Amino acid sequence: MNQKSVNRDELAKYLAEALNITQFRDYCPNGLQVEGRAEIKRLVSGVTASYALLEAAVANDADAILVHHGYFWRGEDARVIGPKHKRLKLLLTHDINLFAFHLPLDAHPDFGNNVQLAQQLDLLPNGRFGDDNLGWLGSVSDPLVRTVGDLANLIERRLHRTPVLIGDPSQQLGQIAWCTGAAQNFLGDAIAAGAGVYISGEISEPTVHLARETGVAYLAAGHHATERYGVQALGRHLAERFGLQHQFIDIDNPV
């Protein structure tokens, strides 16, 4: 298609089908979260719908924002007060659509965070594991990356972030498992799937002990750092398919 704009509802329908959103038991609504203007020409993407991203989208005259972390999470305060009011007011005042995709964007075989992280790190996927098959298994393609320490160095070079390493840097790489973001609870599933190394975004106190006691190395590479790539890939795809102007805006986040 070579159009220069797309109808909001047409785009919402396309995204819902392309990302198969009904497949997932998620913690938030996936799809159009805040309705804006009907026609979309300019799309801004980012990891999280923070106020800083919204301001940048307004400055770039965006019609829609595409994110991985949106709003209306399960169990959160439903009142529209404080930061939530400030964010929603900015979106509604400027008539900007907000599209958010959480687990569907982690899992997608082409645009997903996990497959896109694999491309960043030259990982060759060969299997899936965990709830909704969110976790990925594979091996590294670079023959010079042989140890856990080598893999940590590769992560630092490619993601521009020094990972937290739990384990022996000299340990030889075997099967590698990964799941972006806050997927530290998948460590047990990764171990059961036969992984010798696990890469995720975050790490918590209990997972340190589990990694040490099982001998499975753990690399925590940053929630934001591991989830920058899926939304960019999806934004590029939408720009190509619908002829949209697309810009990814990276709001720095050290976590």
Side-chain angles (χ1 to χ4, degrees), residues 49-67:
S50 64
Y51 193 77
L53 181 65
L54 304 189
E55 285 186 311
V58 170
N60 283 274
D61 199 23
D63 302 304
I65 302 171
L66 173 70
V67 296

Side-chain angles (χ1 to χ4, degrees), residues 192-222:
V197 182
Y198 181 56
I199 305 168
S200 189
E202 297 185 16
I203 190 167
S204 56
E205 199 271 348
T207 49
V208 172
H209 302 294
L210 181 59
R212 287 173 175 168
E213 292 169 19
T214 58
V216 173
Y218 195 114
L219 289 158

